[in-house]
Amino acid sequence: MKLLEYVNLEVVGSVKGKDLLTWFDYSSTEVKKLLELAGALKSLAKSDVHPPLLVGKTVGLIFEKHSTRTRISFEVGVNQLGGHAIYMHARDLQIGRGEPVSDTGKVLSGYLDGIMIRANSHKMVEELAHAATIPVINGLTDLFHPCQALADLLTIHEIKGYLQGQKLAYVGDGNNVAHSLIIACAHLGVNVSIASPLGFEVDSSILAKAQKLAVLNGSTIETTMNPIEAVENADVIYTDVWTSMGQEEETAARLQAFEGYQINEELVQHAKPDYLFLHCLPAHREEEVATSIIDGTHSAVFQQAENRLHAQKAILASILS
């Protein structure tokens, strides 16, 4: 679907009206085209050009968790595309007082053109998407964070120039960020090595499915409990916090479990000399990453954060325009 001939812009027409709950729901071609669109929209934005692809569209943004990057990037993204975003915290909706998720989905479908939700439970988001007759975009759940992964790949592509065959080492908790990252990397031929301590590995069923997808695209996904093994000859090193929101009571136990998994000057010596460091933020300096690394010359965490905006604009434009 070609729009706005004067900028030669194409949205990914095959995903129009489609939910985005996990990248397993999309083809490798669709993920690649969304990535290309994100880059094109970013280039236009840098020239103060914002294609009005969502004029007349209203997107509801539902949050069960606090947010900086997700909330602001989605609000700005919808606005830049000419649409209107409505921020809604779950506690202010009837869903926060016990209204069935299915009822909420049906009601909102009569008002809105799309829903983005940042939720505690992936099962709840699946229930919402099943009931709604409008597209639902996963802004984060306990299992997946697909928008973050697309922004990650955009950042790697911008800096490294290509994705196929790159080695990404993920060191830390096998959480929602890790799950979406391995799926997105599998779609685009990025090799992944994940190092997590016992008890904090990525979900085995998600891993197996991602590994099968990786084979189809000429890459591998490997796991280890040895951070040095994971980082060996890596092009990209990625980590996330060891204790996420809602896990605060586990902080002491997690600090002990993740001892030896910090991204620091000693560990990065095993990566390629021009390695790239990524972190989805917020970061806990001197826990999962040394200050000298995250604030050093190899770090692209703020470019990565900005790319949430451009990646999500590509998703919104393709699903809703």
Side-chain angles (χ1 to χ4, degrees), residues 23 28 31-32 34-36 38-39 145-164 166-168 180-192 236 238 276 278 303-304 307-308 311:
W23 288 121
S28 297
V31 175
K32 181 179 179 182
L34 284 168
L35 190 68
E36 292 171 351
H145 199 355
C147 298
Q148 178 66 57
L150 192 65
D152 299 338
L153 290 177
L154 177 60
T155 308
I156 297 168
H157 188 270
E158 287 176 332
I159 295 172
K160 295 294 186 178
Y162 65 97
L163 293 172
Q164 184 76 41
Q166 295 278 344
K167 178 182 176 181
L168 184 149
S180 287
L181 192 61
I182 62 174
I183 303 167
C185 286
H187 273 302
L188 297 180
V190 177
N191 298 308
V192 183
V236 182
Y238 196 124
L276 172 67
L278 298 179
Q303 180 176 341
Q304 178 188 7
N307 281 341
R308 287 289 303 279

Side-chain angles (χ1 to χ4, degrees), residues 52-288:
L53 301 175
L54 295 185
V55 169
K57 305 285 187 178
T58 303
V59 182
L61 311 178
I62 302 175
F63 288 82
E64 285 191 321
K65 291 188 172 187
H66 296 293
S67 173
T68 297
R69 281 152 292 277
T70 300
R71 176 179 176 177
I72 296 173
S73 59
F74 266 106
E75 285 198 30
V76 172
V78 172
N79 291 338
Q80 285 186 352
L81 293 171
H84 179 67
I86 300 176
Y87 170 79
M88 299 172 283
H89 196 285
R91 65 171 176 263
D92 299 323
L93 303 175
Q94 293 297 338
I95 195 174
R97 300 180 62 248
E99 181 175 50
V101 173
S102 58
D103 286 1
T104 299
K106 293 171 184 176
V107 169
L108 293 181
S109 295
Y111 302 142
L112 303 169
D113 298 289
I115 299 169
M116 187 290 302
I117 181 166
R118 180 181 176 94
N120 295 310
S121 166
H122 191 74
K123 184 178 179 180
M124 186 269 268
V125 174
E126 290 179 327
E127 185 179 350
L128 177 69
H130 179 74
T133 57
I134 57 176
V136 174
I137 297 170
N138 176 4
L140 177 146
T141 66
D142 57 336
L143 281 182
F144 299 105
H145 199 355
C147 298
Q148 178 66 57
L150 192 65
D152 299 338
L153 290 177
L154 177 60
T155 308
I156 297 168
H157 188 270
E158 287 176 332
I159 295 172
K160 295 294 186 178
Y162 65 97
L163 293 172
Q164 184 76 41
Q166 295 278 344
K167 178 182 176 181
L168 184 149
Y170 179 93
V171 179
D173 192 10
N175 59 14
N176 49 6
V177 170
H179 290 156
S180 287
L181 192 61
I182 62 174
I183 303 167
C185 286
H187 273 302
L188 297 180
V190 177
N191 298 308
V192 183
S193 185
I194 308 167
S196 302
L198 185 65
F200 297 91
E201 305 96 327
V202 294
D203 179 90
S204 59
S205 62
I206 294 172
L207 174 63
K209 194 172 180 180
Q211 286 174 325
K212 290 181 180 179
L213 180 60
V215 169
L216 296 176
N217 290 295
S219 61
T220 61
I221 301 173
E222 300 174 340
T223 62
T224 178
M225 287 189 289
N226 186 337
I228 293 176
E229 182 181 339
V231 169
E232 191 68 42
N233 209 35
D235 299 285
V236 182
I237 302 174
Y238 196 124
T239 192
D240 190 11
V241 293
W242 294 340
T243 305
S244 297
M245 281 186 290
Q247 299 173 334
E248 287 79 9
E249 292 183 358
E250 304 173 19
T251 298
R254 284 174 170 268
L255 286 174
Q256 183 176 2
F258 284 96
E259 185 177 355
Y261 284 79
Q262 184 189 78
I263 309 299
N264 52 36
E265 297 290 352
E266 181 179 354
L267 183 61
V268 300
Q269 295 303 312
H270 297 275
K272 289 182 179 177
D274 63 344
Y275 79 90
L276 172 67
F277 175 74
L278 298 179
H279 191 304
C280 57
L281 301 180
H284 295 163
R285 286 168 171 78
E286 298 306 323
E287 284 189 15
E288 75 273 6

